[in-house]
mmCIF file of all heavy atoms in Angstrom:
data_model
loop_
_atom_site.group_PDB
_atom_site.id
_atom_site.type_symbol
_atom_site.label_atom_id
_atom_site.label_comp_id
_atom_site.label_asym_id
_atom_site.label_seq_id
_atom_site.Cartn_x
_atom_site.Cartn_y
_atom_site.Cartn_z
ATOM 1 N N ARG L 1 7.246 13.698 2.061
ATOM 2 C CA ARG L 1 8.590 14.288 2.083
ATOM 3 C C ARG L 1 8.991 14.715 3.520
ATOM 4 O O ARG L 1 10.048 15.215 3.729
ATOM 5 C CB ARG L 1 8.644 15.474 1.158
ATOM 6 C CG ARG L 1 8.564 15.117 -0.343
ATOM 7 C CD ARG L 1 8.724 16.352 -1.229
ATOM 8 N NE ARG L 1 8.738 15.924 -2.619
ATOM 9 C CZ ARG L 1 7.669 15.726 -3.353
ATOM 10 N NH1 ARG L 1 6.472 15.920 -2.784
ATOM 11 N NH2 ARG L 1 7.729 15.439 -4.631
ATOM 12 N N ASN L 2 8.050 14.530 4.470
ATOM 13 C CA ASN L 2 8.372 14.955 5.821
ATOM 14 C C ASN L 2 9.415 13.999 6.447
ATOM 15 O O ASN L 2 9.373 12.748 6.250
ATOM 16 C CB ASN L 2 7.089 14.866 6.717
ATOM 17 C CG ASN L 2 6.102 15.945 6.397
ATOM 18 O OD1 ASN L 2 6.200 16.635 5.354
ATOM 19 N ND2 ASN L 2 5.144 16.154 7.271
ATOM 20 N N ASN L 3 10.312 14.596 7.153
ATOM 21 C CA ASN L 3 11.396 13.811 7.824
ATOM 22 C C ASN L 3 11.007 13.464 9.265
ATOM 23 O O ASN L 3 11.741 13.744 10.176
ATOM 24 C CB ASN L 3 12.709 14.576 7.738
ATOM 25 C CG ASN L 3 13.914 13.753 8.174
ATOM 26 O OD1 ASN L 3 13.921 12.497 7.984
ATOM 27 N ND2 ASN L 3 14.927 14.379 8.702
ATOM 28 N N ASP L 4 9.819 12.951 9.407
ATOM 29 C CA ASP L 4 9.373 12.540 10.729
ATOM 30 C C ASP L 4 8.575 11.243 10.654
ATOM 31 O O ASP L 4 8.568 10.591 9.592
ATOM 32 C CB ASP L 4 8.483 13.683 11.372
ATOM 33 C CG ASP L 4 7.288 14.092 10.515
ATOM 34 O OD1 ASP L 4 6.968 13.347 9.524
ATOM 35 O OD2 ASP L 4 6.702 15.104 10.744
ATOM 36 N N GLU L 5 7.882 10.867 11.741
ATOM 37 C CA GLU L 5 7.199 9.616 11.772
ATOM 38 C C GLU L 5 6.009 9.628 10.748
ATOM 39 O O GLU L 5 5.722 8.614 10.131
ATOM 40 C CB GLU L 5 6.621 9.309 13.162
ATOM 41 C CG GLU L 5 6.098 7.937 13.375
ATOM 42 C CD GLU L 5 7.223 6.894 13.275
ATOM 43 O OE1 GLU L 5 8.369 7.227 13.433
ATOM 44 O OE2 GLU L 5 6.865 5.658 13.089
ATOM 45 N N ARG L 6 5.330 10.777 10.559
ATOM 46 C CA ARG L 6 4.250 10.784 9.626
ATOM 47 C C ARG L 6 4.759 10.624 8.200
ATOM 48 O O ARG L 6 4.126 9.928 7.370
ATOM 49 C CB ARG L 6 3.506 12.112 9.746
ATOM 50 C CG ARG L 6 2.712 12.277 11.058
ATOM 51 C CD ARG L 6 1.874 13.507 11.067
ATOM 52 N NE ARG L 6 2.697 14.724 10.917
ATOM 53 C CZ ARG L 6 2.137 15.959 10.870
ATOM 54 N NH1 ARG L 6 0.828 16.098 11.004
ATOM 55 N NH2 ARG L 6 2.954 16.956 10.753
ATOM 56 N N GLY L 7 5.911 11.222 7.850
ATOM 57 C CA GLY L 7 6.505 10.993 6.574
ATOM 58 C C GLY L 7 6.900 9.543 6.351
ATOM 59 O O GLY L 7 6.691 9.007 5.256
ATOM 60 N N ARG L 8 7.433 8.916 7.363
ATOM 61 C CA ARG L 8 7.822 7.503 7.267
ATOM 62 C C ARG L 8 6.603 6.642 7.016
ATOM 63 O O ARG L 8 6.596 5.769 6.185
ATOM 64 C CB ARG L 8 8.515 7.059 8.540
ATOM 65 C CG ARG L 8 9.085 5.643 8.469
ATOM 66 C CD ARG L 8 9.365 5.091 9.828
ATOM 67 N NE ARG L 8 8.136 4.779 10.536
ATOM 68 C CZ ARG L 8 7.472 3.613 10.478
ATOM 69 N NH1 ARG L 8 7.898 2.648 9.664
ATOM 70 N NH2 ARG L 8 6.371 3.467 11.154
ATOM 71 N N SER L 9 5.521 6.898 7.755
ATOM 72 C CA SER L 9 4.305 6.125 7.583
ATOM 73 C C SER L 9 3.704 6.295 6.182
ATOM 74 O O SER L 9 3.275 5.335 5.597
ATOM 75 C CB SER L 9 3.261 6.547 8.659
ATOM 76 O OG SER L 9 3.726 6.260 9.990
ATOM 77 N N ALA L 10 3.703 7.546 5.682
ATOM 78 C CA ALA L 10 3.179 7.812 4.363
ATOM 79 C C ALA L 10 3.934 7.052 3.316
ATOM 80 O O ALA L 10 3.380 6.480 2.377
ATOM 81 C CB ALA L 10 3.201 9.353 4.086
ATOM 82 N N ARG L 11 5.260 7.052 3.399
ATOM 83 C CA ARG L 11 6.087 6.387 2.453
ATOM 84 C C ARG L 11 5.924 4.858 2.523
ATOM 85 O O ARG L 11 5.886 4.162 1.489
ATOM 86 C CB ARG L 11 7.588 6.781 2.628
ATOM 87 C CG ARG L 11 7.895 8.184 2.291
ATOM 88 C CD ARG L 11 9.367 8.477 2.305
ATOM 89 N NE ARG L 11 9.947 8.336 3.689
ATOM 90 C CZ ARG L 11 10.005 9.384 4.540
ATOM 91 N NH1 ARG L 11 9.502 10.556 4.224
ATOM 92 N NH2 ARG L 11 10.527 9.201 5.723
ATOM 93 N N LEU L 12 5.771 4.288 3.712
ATOM 94 C CA LEU L 12 5.554 2.879 3.914
ATOM 95 C C LEU L 12 4.212 2.465 3.268
ATOM 96 O O LEU L 12 4.137 1.411 2.613
ATOM 97 C CB LEU L 12 5.595 2.533 5.424
ATOM 98 C CG LEU L 12 5.327 1.039 5.737
ATOM 99 C CD1 LEU L 12 6.374 0.146 5.085
ATOM 100 C CD2 LEU L 12 5.382 0.853 7.271
ATOM 101 N N VAL L 13 3.184 3.224 3.504
ATOM 102 C CA VAL L 13 1.867 2.901 2.939
ATOM 103 C C VAL L 13 1.963 2.908 1.391
ATOM 104 O O VAL L 13 1.370 2.056 0.757
ATOM 105 C CB VAL L 13 0.810 3.915 3.420
ATOM 106 C CG1 VAL L 13 -0.456 3.688 2.695
ATOM 107 C CG2 VAL L 13 0.539 3.712 4.926
ATOM 108 N N ALA L 14 2.622 3.908 0.844
ATOM 109 C CA ALA L 14 2.799 4.022 -0.632
ATOM 110 C C ALA L 14 3.469 2.730 -1.135
ATOM 111 O O ALA L 14 3.102 2.156 -2.196
ATOM 112 C CB ALA L 14 3.577 5.199 -0.972
ATOM 113 N N ARG L 15 4.523 2.271 -0.462
ATOM 114 C CA ARG L 15 5.202 1.057 -0.886
ATOM 115 C C ARG L 15 4.323 -0.194 -0.820
ATOM 116 O O ARG L 15 4.328 -1.000 -1.761
ATOM 117 C CB ARG L 15 6.500 0.871 -0.109
ATOM 118 C CG ARG L 15 7.601 1.878 -0.385
ATOM 119 C CD ARG L 15 8.902 1.404 0.176
ATOM 120 N NE ARG L 15 8.899 1.319 1.637
ATOM 121 C CZ ARG L 15 9.238 2.289 2.455
ATOM 122 N NH1 ARG L 15 9.589 3.505 1.961
ATOM 123 N NH2 ARG L 15 9.197 2.168 3.762
ATOM 124 N N LYS L 16 3.568 -0.296 0.284
ATOM 125 C CA LYS L 16 2.696 -1.426 0.417
ATOM 126 C C LYS L 16 1.570 -1.440 -0.638
ATOM 127 O O LYS L 16 1.260 -2.511 -1.196
ATOM 128 C CB LYS L 16 2.079 -1.427 1.798
ATOM 129 C CG LYS L 16 3.075 -1.698 2.957
ATOM 130 C CD LYS L 16 3.628 -3.084 2.906
ATOM 131 C CE LYS L 16 4.549 -3.372 4.038
ATOM 132 N NZ LYS L 16 5.146 -4.790 3.928
ATOM 133 N N LEU L 17 1.028 -0.329 -0.950
ATOM 134 C CA LEU L 17 -0.027 -0.234 -1.955
ATOM 135 C C LEU L 17 0.558 -0.535 -3.327
ATOM 136 O O LEU L 17 -0.114 -1.151 -4.159
ATOM 137 C CB LEU L 17 -0.652 1.177 -1.938
ATOM 138 C CG LEU L 17 -1.505 1.498 -0.719
ATOM 139 C CD1 LEU L 17 -1.994 2.933 -0.823
ATOM 140 C CD2 LEU L 17 -2.696 0.506 -0.629
ATOM 141 N N ASP L 18 1.768 -0.075 -3.560
ATOM 142 C CA ASP L 18 2.388 -0.334 -4.845
ATOM 143 C C ASP L 18 2.640 -1.842 -5.039
ATOM 144 O O ASP L 18 2.502 -2.387 -6.130
ATOM 145 C CB ASP L 18 3.726 0.442 -4.973
ATOM 146 C CG ASP L 18 4.314 0.405 -6.430
ATOM 147 O OD1 ASP L 18 3.527 0.707 -7.341
ATOM 148 O OD2 ASP L 18 5.463 0.117 -6.559
ATOM 149 N N GLU L 19 3.061 -2.511 -3.953
ATOM 150 C CA GLU L 19 3.230 -3.984 -4.051
ATOM 151 C C GLU L 19 1.925 -4.668 -4.286
ATOM 152 O O GLU L 19 1.914 -5.642 -5.152
ATOM 153 C CB GLU L 19 3.812 -4.459 -2.673
ATOM 154 C CG GLU L 19 5.267 -4.056 -2.417
ATOM 155 C CD GLU L 19 5.756 -4.467 -1.029
ATOM 156 O OE1 GLU L 19 4.979 -5.174 -0.353
ATOM 157 O OE2 GLU L 19 6.853 -4.081 -0.639
ATOM 158 N N LEU L 20 0.867 -4.226 -3.658
ATOM 159 C CA LEU L 20 -0.460 -4.863 -3.946
ATOM 160 C C LEU L 20 -0.847 -4.627 -5.412
ATOM 161 O O LEU L 20 -1.386 -5.496 -6.075
ATOM 162 C CB LEU L 20 -1.516 -4.221 -3.018
ATOM 163 C CG LEU L 20 -1.522 -4.682 -1.563
ATOM 164 C CD1 LEU L 20 -2.498 -3.924 -0.738
ATOM 165 C CD2 LEU L 20 -1.904 -6.231 -1.488
ATOM 166 N N ARG L 21 -0.552 -3.415 -5.903
ATOM 167 C CA ARG L 21 -0.946 -3.112 -7.258
ATOM 168 C C ARG L 21 -0.185 -4.009 -8.258
ATOM 169 O O ARG L 21 -0.773 -4.461 -9.243
ATOM 170 C CB ARG L 21 -0.645 -1.635 -7.573
ATOM 171 C CG ARG L 21 -0.992 -1.148 -8.928
ATOM 172 C CD ARG L 21 -0.468 0.248 -9.113
ATOM 173 N NE ARG L 21 0.965 0.398 -9.018
ATOM 174 C CZ ARG L 21 1.830 0.067 -9.946
ATOM 175 N NH1 ARG L 21 1.413 -0.408 -11.131
ATOM 176 N NH2 ARG L 21 3.149 0.216 -9.751
ATOM 177 N N LYS L 22 1.069 -4.258 -7.997
ATOM 178 C CA LYS L 22 1.918 -5.068 -8.849
ATOM 179 C C LYS L 22 1.485 -6.511 -8.869
ATOM 180 O O LYS L 22 1.490 -7.229 -9.864
ATOM 181 C CB LYS L 22 3.373 -4.959 -8.530
ATOM 182 C CG LYS L 22 3.936 -3.574 -8.825
ATOM 183 C CD LYS L 22 5.416 -3.519 -8.396
ATOM 184 C CE LYS L 22 6.045 -2.190 -8.713
ATOM 185 N NZ LYS L 22 7.441 -2.079 -8.212
ATOM 186 N N HIS L 23 1.198 -7.075 -7.662
ATOM 187 C CA HIS L 23 0.921 -8.512 -7.514
ATOM 188 C C HIS L 23 -0.578 -8.923 -7.603
ATOM 189 O O HIS L 23 -0.886 -9.997 -7.967
ATOM 190 C CB HIS L 23 1.474 -8.986 -6.198
ATOM 191 C CG HIS L 23 2.971 -8.878 -6.133
ATOM 192 N ND1 HIS L 23 3.609 -7.875 -5.437
ATOM 193 C CD2 HIS L 23 3.967 -9.649 -6.611
ATOM 194 C CE1 HIS L 23 4.929 -7.999 -5.495
ATOM 195 N NE2 HIS L 23 5.160 -9.087 -6.239
ATOM 196 N N GLU L 24 -1.497 -8.006 -7.316
ATOM 197 C CA GLU L 24 -2.871 -8.358 -7.205
ATOM 198 C C GLU L 24 -3.772 -7.643 -8.249
ATOM 199 O O GLU L 24 -4.923 -8.045 -8.451
ATOM 200 C CB GLU L 24 -3.423 -8.015 -5.766
ATOM 201 C CG GLU L 24 -2.748 -8.773 -4.666
ATOM 202 C CD GLU L 24 -2.980 -10.266 -4.752
ATOM 203 O OE1 GLU L 24 -4.019 -10.706 -5.340
ATOM 204 O OE2 GLU L 24 -2.127 -11.029 -4.176
ATOM 205 N N GLY L 25 -3.248 -6.595 -8.887
ATOM 206 C CA GLY L 25 -4.005 -5.887 -9.890
ATOM 207 C C GLY L 25 -4.397 -4.473 -9.545
ATOM 208 O O GLY L 25 -3.889 -3.955 -8.522
ATOM 209 N N LYS L 26 -5.214 -3.884 -10.343
ATOM 210 C CA LYS L 26 -5.626 -2.507 -10.149
ATOM 211 C C LYS L 26 -6.329 -2.282 -8.798
ATOM 212 O O LYS L 26 -7.229 -3.008 -8.417
ATOM 213 C CB LYS L 26 -6.576 -2.018 -11.260
ATOM 214 C CG LYS L 26 -5.855 -2.013 -12.659
ATOM 215 C CD LYS L 26 -6.837 -1.520 -13.723
ATOM 216 C CE LYS L 26 -6.142 -1.504 -15.097
ATOM 217 N NZ LYS L 26 -7.108 -1.001 -16.116
ATOM 218 N N LEU L 27 -5.922 -1.193 -8.119
ATOM 219 C CA LEU L 27 -6.466 -0.893 -6.832
ATOM 220 C C LEU L 27 -7.849 -0.232 -6.925
ATOM 221 O O LEU L 27 -8.558 -0.072 -5.922
ATOM 222 C CB LEU L 27 -5.540 0.053 -5.999
ATOM 223 C CG LEU L 27 -4.143 -0.510 -5.665
ATOM 224 C CD1 LEU L 27 -3.352 0.504 -4.912
ATOM 225 C CD2 LEU L 27 -4.274 -1.814 -4.884
ATOM 226 N N SER L 28 -8.251 0.112 -8.142
ATOM 227 C CA SER L 28 -9.591 0.615 -8.325
ATOM 228 C C SER L 28 -10.594 -0.532 -8.275
ATOM 229 O O SER L 28 -11.818 -0.233 -8.158
ATOM 230 C CB SER L 28 -9.720 1.327 -9.704
ATOM 231 O OG SER L 28 -9.299 0.455 -10.776
ATOM 232 N N ASN L 29 -10.127 -1.733 -8.345
ATOM 233 C CA ASN L 29 -10.975 -2.932 -8.092
ATOM 234 C C ASN L 29 -10.544 -3.588 -6.786
ATOM 235 O O ASN L 29 -9.492 -3.227 -6.204
ATOM 236 C CB ASN L 29 -10.831 -3.941 -9.237
ATOM 237 C CG ASN L 29 -11.183 -3.349 -10.607
ATOM 238 O OD1 ASN L 29 -12.214 -2.615 -10.693
ATOM 239 N ND2 ASN L 29 -10.384 -3.586 -11.647
ATOM 240 N N TRP L 30 -11.332 -4.471 -6.263
ATOM 241 C CA TRP L 30 -10.984 -5.163 -5.068
ATOM 242 C C TRP L 30 -9.807 -6.104 -5.288
ATOM 243 O O TRP L 30 -9.754 -6.857 -6.207
ATOM 244 C CB TRP L 30 -12.140 -6.028 -4.587
ATOM 245 C CG TRP L 30 -13.343 -5.266 -4.053
ATOM 246 C CD1 TRP L 30 -14.545 -5.141 -4.694
ATOM 247 C CD2 TRP L 30 -13.406 -4.519 -2.866
ATOM 248 N NE1 TRP L 30 -15.381 -4.315 -3.928
ATOM 249 C CE2 TRP L 30 -14.701 -3.876 -2.771
ATOM 250 C CE3 TRP L 30 -12.511 -4.224 -1.854
ATOM 251 C CZ2 TRP L 30 -15.138 -3.101 -1.785
ATOM 252 C CZ3 TRP L 30 -12.953 -3.418 -0.762
ATOM 253 C CH2 TRP L 30 -14.184 -2.856 -0.753
ATOM 254 N N VAL L 31 -8.791 -5.920 -4.436
ATOM 255 C CA VAL L 31 -7.594 -6.794 -4.470
ATOM 256 C C VAL L 31 -7.540 -7.661 -3.196
ATOM 257 O O VAL L 31 -7.988 -7.193 -2.168
ATOM 258 C CB VAL L 31 -6.307 -6.004 -4.646
ATOM 259 C CG1 VAL L 31 -6.303 -5.239 -6.035
ATOM 260 C CG2 VAL L 31 -6.079 -5.018 -3.532
ATOM 261 N N ASN L 32 -6.985 -8.823 -3.348
ATOM 262 C CA ASN L 32 -6.936 -9.791 -2.196
ATOM 263 C C ASN L 32 -5.792 -9.388 -1.245
ATOM 264 O O ASN L 32 -4.681 -9.044 -1.658
ATOM 265 C CB ASN L 32 -6.766 -11.174 -2.699
ATOM 266 C CG ASN L 32 -7.978 -11.680 -3.495
ATOM 267 O OD1 ASN L 32 -9.099 -11.410 -3.149
ATOM 268 N ND2 ASN L 32 -7.708 -12.377 -4.615
ATOM 269 N N LEU L 33 -6.028 -9.513 0.050
ATOM 270 C CA LEU L 33 -5.068 -9.385 1.112
ATOM 271 C C LEU L 33 -4.700 -10.711 1.677
ATOM 272 O O LEU L 33 -5.487 -11.680 1.589
ATOM 273 C CB LEU L 33 -5.558 -8.440 2.197
ATOM 274 C CG LEU L 33 -5.977 -7.058 1.795
ATOM 275 C CD1 LEU L 33 -6.587 -6.269 2.983
ATOM 276 C CD2 LEU L 33 -4.811 -6.293 1.159
ATOM 277 N N GLU L 34 -3.542 -10.827 2.276
ATOM 278 C CA GLU L 34 -3.014 -12.124 2.804
ATOM 279 C C GLU L 34 -3.966 -12.737 3.867
ATOM 280 O O GLU L 34 -4.091 -13.952 3.905
ATOM 281 C CB GLU L 34 -1.664 -11.929 3.443
ATOM 282 C CG GLU L 34 -0.575 -11.658 2.415
ATOM 283 C CD GLU L 34 0.762 -11.586 3.050
ATOM 284 O OE1 GLU L 34 0.855 -11.819 4.278
ATOM 285 O OE2 GLU L 34 1.785 -11.297 2.380
ATOM 286 N N HIS L 35 -4.657 -11.909 4.661
ATOM 287 C CA HIS L 35 -5.512 -12.473 5.757
ATOM 288 C C HIS L 35 -6.881 -12.878 5.237
ATOM 289 O O HIS L 35 -7.720 -13.280 6.023
ATOM 290 C CB HIS L 35 -5.647 -11.470 6.865
ATOM 291 C CG HIS L 35 -6.121 -10.098 6.425
ATOM 292 N ND1 HIS L 35 -7.394 -9.901 5.855
ATOM 293 C CD2 HIS L 35 -5.549 -8.862 6.528
ATOM 294 C CE1 HIS L 35 -7.532 -8.604 5.589
ATOM 295 N NE2 HIS L 35 -6.432 -7.984 5.999
ATOM 296 N N GLY L 36 -7.118 -12.782 3.941
ATOM 297 C CA GLY L 36 -8.388 -13.184 3.359
ATOM 298 C C GLY L 36 -9.319 -12.066 3.102
ATOM 299 O O GLY L 36 -10.397 -12.262 2.519
ATOM 300 N N GLY L 37 -9.002 -10.867 3.515
ATOM 301 C CA GLY L 37 -9.832 -9.727 3.186
ATOM 302 C C GLY L 37 -9.525 -9.176 1.846
ATOM 303 O O GLY L 37 -8.754 -9.639 1.051
ATOM 304 N N LYS L 38 -10.141 -7.994 1.525
ATOM 305 C CA LYS L 38 -9.967 -7.300 0.294
ATOM 306 C C LYS L 38 -9.727 -5.812 0.529
ATOM 307 O O LYS L 38 -10.141 -5.258 1.566
ATOM 308 C CB LYS L 38 -11.156 -7.471 -0.612
ATOM 309 C CG LYS L 38 -11.366 -8.916 -1.084
ATOM 310 C CD LYS L 38 -12.579 -9.076 -1.938
ATOM 311 C CE LYS L 38 -12.802 -10.496 -2.436
ATOM 312 N NZ LYS L 38 -11.734 -10.950 -3.304
ATOM 313 N N LEU L 39 -9.086 -5.170 -0.434
ATOM 314 C CA LEU L 39 -8.780 -3.736 -0.311
ATOM 315 C C LEU L 39 -9.091 -3.027 -1.636
ATOM 316 O O LEU L 39 -8.914 -3.632 -2.697
ATOM 317 C CB LEU L 39 -7.338 -3.486 0.147
ATOM 318 C CG LEU L 39 -6.889 -2.017 0.311
ATOM 319 C CD1 LEU L 39 -5.996 -1.859 1.527
ATOM 320 C CD2 LEU L 39 -6.172 -1.493 -0.955
#
């Protein structure tokens, strides 16, 4: 909820993780990343 760079970064990370969750599956398991790694 911060109106600064840290708040922007936190919201961006949340959106990216949500996209991974929707397309790759549960984040409690290893999900594939575009560069070949896992998260």
Side-chain angles (χ1 to χ4, degrees):
R1 293 182 176 85
N2 289 15
N3 192 26
D4 56 14
E5 191 67 19
R6 292 186 300 179
R8 186 198 72 87
S9 296
R11 293 188 293 272
L12 178 58
V13 172
R15 289 194 296 271
K16 291 295 182 181
L17 291 176
D18 192 49
E19 290 175 7
L20 284 174
R21 181 186 60 80
K22 290 178 179 177
H23 296 101
E24 299 295 336
K26 295 181 179 180
L27 298 180
S28 56
N29 301 317
W30 291 108
V31 297
N32 295 318
L33 302 175
E34 290 183 4
H35 55 61
K38 296 180 180 293
L39 180 140

